[in-house]
Amino acid sequence: MIISLVVLLGAGVSLVFIYEEEVVNLIIKELNKHLKTEVRIDPKNIDLTIIRSFPDCAIEFKELTAMDAREFETNDTLLYAKRLALAFNIKDLFNKNYTIKKIELSSARCHLKVDKKGNANYMVWKSEGTQTSGDSLKFALEKITLTDVDLSYKNSKHRIKLNTSVKELRFKGKFSDDQYTLKTDGNAYVSLFQVEKVKYLNNKNLKFDLEFDVNGSTYTIKKSETFVNATHLVSNGAFVVKDSLQSLDINFNGKNLDISTTLSLLPEKFQNQINDYESDGEFYANGECHYKNGQPFIIKAEFGIKQATITYKKQNTTLKQVNLLGNIEMNDKRSLLTLKNISANLNNNTFTGDVELSHFEDPYLKLKLAANTKLEELIAFYPIDTLQELSGNISINAEMEGLISDMKSNAYSPNIMAKGNAVINNLKAKFKQSEKEINVPEGELQLNNRHLNVYNLKLIKGSSDVMLVGELPNFLSYLFDSKEPLTIVAQVTSDRIELEDFLFGAGQSSETSSINIPNNLDFNVSVNVKQLSFSKFVANNIKGNMLLKNQKIALKELSLNTTDGEVKLNAFADVSGENIKVSGDCELTKLNIQKLFTQLNNFGQTTIQDVNLKGFVTAGVDFTGTWDKKLNADLNSINVTSSILIERGELIGFKPLESLAKYIDVNELRHIKFSTLQSAVEIKNKVITLPKTSIKSNAINLELWGKHSFDNMIDYHIQLLLSELLAKKPRANKDFDEELSLVENDPENRRSVFIVMTGPIDNPTIKYDRKGAKEKIKEDIKQEKQNLKQLLKEEFGFFKKDTTLTKKENPKANQNFQIQVGEEKPKANKPLQPKKKEEDDDF
């Protein structure tokens, strides 16, 4: 036998050597007739052999490169192989008709692609209809073997990706027959299997043993055992394959499954969430899968978990007695996942519930949940990144239904149904990057038709305490994740609120930090606060309405007591940008001016400060302005119009009046006291404008009007009664005495002197105000004309048609009219000179 084998082998080798050139040329010629691709190979790498393929003969191609099919849109590499062998019967050497029965491919890289139109780059063989009876090469495959082949597949039409390394893969069957039995087995490593954007298999070992009855392009499963890692699936059914998968009808059943291996099959986006967990317990699954070309997959499956445990490895915290029944259904009309009879225990915590999720593209959720949990144990099993500490008890019994997209974007959507209740006791939470703890000693929350009603929910943060009664649609989500929106529609009562507890960053104060109102806060609350403080400002008995949305705050009909008086306020502040834009109107009733300036940091200006003022102000104010986040005012933006009444006022050390005192020797101007002062003040473009205002004080009676800029440049006009000045005897000032000596015939002592003060407030220029005097003369002449007409009308009946004249009681006869004109020809307008030192005065 050995001799016979050696003889046969020797004869075969001889035949191969004799016919090699003829066979190679003939087979290449026939291949070129049927191939629709460019094949690149060095002729010296084409051999005819019998040793490796004995008892068959084979033509071997080494270092072969095949390009994409010619009709395909690109011309990239389809296949690179270190060895491709086509085997045929040795007797074909004699009849010179070659029938390929076996193909072996080893150490190869194959790149299969399907474009968006469904064209494939691997359709490189012309159809059988092109073959003729005279062809010397035919394929009647019975075995295909792949060894160490890296395969990539990308289907742009159906958005499928597959990357796998085939260690060994065998196909056996009479492939040229219309009906035959196909057997295949092998193992591979799947680095990626992705449909759409979901990765279903990622870095998994795949092993299979399959047998099919093939009838044309229809494959009926006789045997199918597949292992994905350690997960064992048995299936039956049929599928149709032509150029690509045309249809699929498969039933499958999982055997000897366990949770840990099954969870390892989850898509990557879920895998990342469970890497820190390990599990044990029984898992079962069975179902069916259907597909037709160009239509979505249809999947129906049942699965469940029995008596499982899930452990968070970092804390060694275990969720025990995990049970659930699951069902999934996906087709072109609906997608549905249900989880029923869910139950689990975590130490003293218990959880039960049901979940239904439908329409996966825009998921609709139905949730029923009951839980009794200690939060410190829950966070030890499922830590929350934003929380540093969490403790307390929550009992929840709730149902919710609606679109998840609505739940995220609009807590008040009428399409969301929610009901249930939660009872909170001794909840304490501390967020990272925050030094102040949130404490909820007690509270009850009731879900009713998508609204979360809050009853006596007490919240303590820092030195502040707040009691809420109302609605908080997203409070629990906010509690576990501070980035979630917090919406409050409620009545808020408090004994004390320090705004720094809520407005500023961790461990920082109003002096070192910027105001930071989170953009996820949404308030609509009525307020009743006994005391509120912010920096130096303190207010009591605060009542009104506050609205906050998108970092915009509105205060409506807010009343409060502060600085010994009362304030009524409507205001709006926009904190959404880099600065704070404020507008509003308010009514002030008898506020202590000095305390007001002290608590509000003198309104950010230095012109007149708290040390200069005493008294009580009643005013109506309209204002707009801009501040930065550290509450520094943009002075150019300040606009104020107001009507002001000051009672029991004192003006102390006000520099403009001190400057005047140097010239007219009225030392009392350094501390003026007056019973009332009424005026209207306007602030615009960093200028304070004061209309003509009468000041009747202990020192002197005068009228004052003018402008004062924020950089302390002044333009004041002052009207003084000469009688007031004469009483003070300022005769040491010769210029001033000279003006007074020109005044005659003033029996009523009503003549005036006009002074203008301009320049910097620390060193103003003081002059006689000729313009002011002229204006006063015009007013007096106009008034005297009216008086004259009135007298002539009453005495002689003149000017009867003048409706501006009114009848006066007890008119004075022989009235002397005197007009204050000063000099007939005014002297040059020159600055007044300060009076001499006290020892030179003529007192």
Side-chain angles (χ1 to χ4, degrees), residues 407-408 411 452 472-479 484-487:
M407 296 177 187
K408 291 181 178 179
L452 180 59
L472 283 80
N474 203 31
F475 175 73
L476 292 179
S477 297
Y478 174 79
L479 183 64
E484 289 290 315
L486 175 62
T487 302

Side-chain angles (χ1 to χ4, degrees), residues 335-353:
S335 52
L336 177 66
L337 170 67
T338 59
L339 303 175
K340 296 182 178 180
N341 301 331
I342 302 171
S343 63
N345 296 332
L346 177 66
N347 295 333
N348 296 317
N349 303 270
T350 60
F351 308 91
T352 60

